[in-house]
Amino acid sequence: MGNSFKSAQFLIESRVADAAAGDVDALFDLGICYQTGTAGLPIDLIEAHKWFNLAAVRGSQAAHDARAEVAEELTAREIATAQAAARAWLRLTTSIRHAA
């Protein structure tokens, strides 16, 4: 079990790093992970919406569709929370890339 946890943790960490670099597939993959509870993550539809939103903004039609599907399960307040988290992610990653 320890090895599968470490593998899952590595997968998530590497996808987050790729997402921070602007990789649209990584953004989408993180949305899927949170939507389905893949890689040891808890199902978190607010977090899934955030990642799908970020991928959709970068042009992913699949993420656009997945975001709409997830949004059907969320309240307006939860969607606003996800959108605020997406804006915060954009600010953070933009400032990191400009500092480098």
Side-chain angles (χ1 to χ4, degrees):
M1 177 159 164
N3 284 338
S4 71
F5 175 76
K6 287 179 183 178
S7 294
Q9 185 177 14
F10 176 77
L11 170 68
I12 295 303
E13 289 172 359
S14 68
R15 296 318 278 161
V16 169
D18 292 342
D23 182 333
V24 70
D25 292 329
L27 295 164
F28 180 77
D29 290 348
L30 287 164
I32 292 292
C33 287
Y34 279 102
Q35 181 185 26
T36 62
T38 304
L41 291 174
I43 292 174
D44 183 337
L45 297 182
I46 294 171
E47 193 69 9
H49 189 284
K50 174 187 99 174
W51 293 111
F52 288 141
N53 193 36
L54 290 164
V57 166
R58 294 203 180 271
S60 170
Q61 183 61 46
H64 180 273
D65 296 343
R67 179 184 61 191
E69 181 181 317
V70 167
E72 291 178 10
E73 303 295 321
L74 300 175
T75 65
R77 178 169 285 176
E78 289 169 327
I79 292 169
T81 298
Q83 291 170 335
R87 286 190 301 275
W89 172 265
L90 286 173
R91 282 191 303 275
L92 174 67
T93 57
T94 300
S95 66
I96 290 170
R97 277 182 269 170
H98 287 295

